[in-house]
DNA sequence: TGAAATATTTAGGGCGTGCTAAAATCACGC
DNA sequence: GCGTGATTTTAGCACGCCCTAAATATTTCA
């Protein structure tokens, strides 16, 4: 309270000034809310981190004082460049860890999130880069989420979900949230994994169940599940026209996320 | 402070009640001091953890209240069975992590300690056991320290050091402390690693340098270094008598450490 | 355009872990 | 046995992160 948020001064400093585990988790949560909805509200952060709203206000004050975010009282927060870099660093660690645990140590994809949630704060940059190298520098994690590069670049396009498909459309599954182990277990059961091809065969009215072809099988899923699975159009199904097409739908191209 | 330390109640509870990172480090440090010198003094713990003695007193009060150790004021502390189990769990994690980092991820042996010092608090039991399995359940870490088993058994014999050898004696290097990276780098340089055979060729008077055969090379080392390298006698050099011998010097047999 | 509902911040604590300075206790040599 | 230096504990405080209750600001909608 006594020290007014330091004037300009915090611009080019590249060295991270050591962030605690709670701070890293706040920044990560704010980053994710911000990219989804433009800004992060106190309540949303509180929900994401399972803490009381008053605790969020307190933490926000400290983070703003450190130059990690800008806070307009009653209006929400936005990360500064420094805050964004710190968030992406933690997200990179988290996703490389999840990939490593899955691919090298045989974890099921519904078990990696909790483990990575802790390890992301304890692993050194060196360890993370070694894991990344051991994996051949993967670009997506086991749930299909893009892995930011070490210099803070990440593919941040918004994707459609199965719920957005028109009947008859065939797409490729890209991604699903890593936060709900039960959902992940169920998806694995019905063979819905990133990369699999999905066709919407039928949609019942009034937000009813959707009938899908998933790989070579057929599944009926609810609309809640459908809305959580991100997909992308197949790059020109099997026609001969190979150029025009929808321009922004090339698979997996990294793009600078400079907001 | 208001709540008086709970009466007896804390005896057979096997479930660890979640220990914080500082608590795990205190227990580990106390365990190590205790096995070396019988009991842990406040000052020693303070030195080991690089905190003020008054901080140690405060922590000791809390740990005693939780039943993790017994404290006789002005006399030092001793771990309870619960405290000892918690300490050995952390030590197991630490040593498996060091082994994994070295053997799987290519870390040099002087870099693993700091990394393990943090990861030991964040890794789940599941992760540790997967790493152990991936390594074929190793029994010693990269510095030759024995790895406690999951049920709290560890080989705790005291070993001689190079400084204890008589001229002409040949031994096998067992272990060296993992705490001094510079020492470890130097040892690697002169090919002194656990398992290597060492012969004391010559010893200068007045605590002077020792001339050693290390593997196939020859080295001159100071007495400080010599005192830090633990060794064991070779199991009956190359005679035909295969039975009698010194009874307690069989290599690497695990022994219950019930104090 | 207000009043009710909702979101956010402030006020006032708690707990864990650290610190310094001062007091108390212990250990040892004379 | 006793003084003195070393060790240990107590007292008092700071900081980070969390909480609940109460106050305040914003949004919504009758
Ligand atoms: Mn995750
Ligand atoms: Mn986390
Ligand atoms: Mn170590
Ligand atoms: Mn540690």
């Amino acid at each position: 309270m006594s020290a007014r948020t330091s004037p300009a001064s915090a611009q080019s400093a590249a060295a991270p000034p050591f962030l605690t585990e709670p701070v890293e988790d706040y920044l990560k949560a704010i980053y994710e809310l911000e990219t989804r909805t433009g800004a992060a509200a106190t309540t949303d952060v509180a929900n994401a981190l399972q803490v009381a709203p008053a605790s969020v206000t307190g933490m926000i004050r400290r983070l703003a004082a450190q130059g990690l975010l800008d806070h307009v009282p009653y209006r929400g927060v936005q990360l500064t460049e420094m805050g964004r870099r710190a968030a992406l660093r933690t997200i990179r660690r988290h996703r490389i860890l999840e990939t490593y645990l899955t691919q090298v140590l045989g974890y099921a994809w519904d078990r990696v999130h909790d483990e990575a949630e802790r390890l992301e704060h304890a692993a050194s940059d060196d360890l993370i880069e070694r894991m990344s190298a051991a994996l051949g520098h993967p670009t997506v994690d086991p749930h299909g989420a893009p892995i930011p590069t070490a210099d803070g670049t990440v593919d941040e396009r918004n994707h459609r979900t199965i719920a957005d498909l028109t009947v008859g459309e065939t797409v490729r599954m890209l991604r699903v949230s890593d936060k709900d182990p039960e959902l992940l277990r169920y998806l694995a059961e019905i063979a819905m994994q990133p990369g699999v091809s999905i066709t919407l065969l039928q949609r019942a009215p009034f937000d009813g169940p959707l009938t899908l072809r998933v790989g070579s099988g057929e599944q009926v899923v609810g609309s809640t599940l459908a809305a959580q699975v991100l997909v992308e159009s197949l790059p020109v199904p099997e026609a001969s026209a190979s150029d025009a097409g929808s321009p922004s739908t090339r698979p997996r191209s990294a793009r600078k996320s400079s907001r």
Side-chain angles (χ1 to χ4, degrees), chain A residues 235-246:
Chain A
V236 189
E238 49 222 312
S240 54
S242 57
D243 43 325
S246 47

Side-chain angles (χ1 to χ4, degrees), chain A residues 21 25 28 90 94 116-118 120-121:
Chain A
E21 173 159 347
D25 282 338
K28 217 173 40 149
T90 308
H94 184 102
E117 198 56 57
R118 296 186 312 274
E120 64 190 357
H121 313 289

Side-chain angles (χ1 to χ4, degrees), chain A residues 57-81:
Chain A
T57 302
M59 178 63 92
I60 279 173
R61 197 206 327 285
R62 285 194 297 274
L63 298 184
Q66 286 179 59
L68 290 163
L69 48 77
D70 294 318
H71 181 214
V72 184
Y74 293 99
R75 275 285 131 76
V77 295
Q78 250 184 318
L79 297 179
T80 60
E81 183 55 29

Side-chain angles (χ1 to χ4, degrees), chain A residues 94 98 113 178:
Chain A
H94 184 102
E98 286 190 346
H113 178 71
D178 60 353

Side-chain angles (χ1 to χ4, degrees), chain A residues 159-216:
Chain A
H159 295 288
R160 300 165 37 200
T161 71
I162 290 180
D164 301 324
L165 299 185
T166 59
V167 172
E169 197 174 358
T170 296
V171 293
R172 194 163 71 94
M173 173 168 170
L174 275 184
R175 180 175 173 185
V176 64
S177 162
D178 60 353
K179 303 263 165 56
D180 184 347
E182 288 202 50
L183 175 62
L184 292 174
R185 271 195 298 279
Y186 181 65
L187 290 179
E189 227 174 77
I190 64 176
M192 280 185 67
Q193 311 263 177
V196 79
S197 129
I198 294 176
T199 308
L200 176 57
L201 300 176
Q202 197 183 335
R203 156 183 274 141
F206 300 109
D207 215 31
L210 293 82
T211 307
L212 306 173
R213 173 163 300 287
V214 179
S216 53

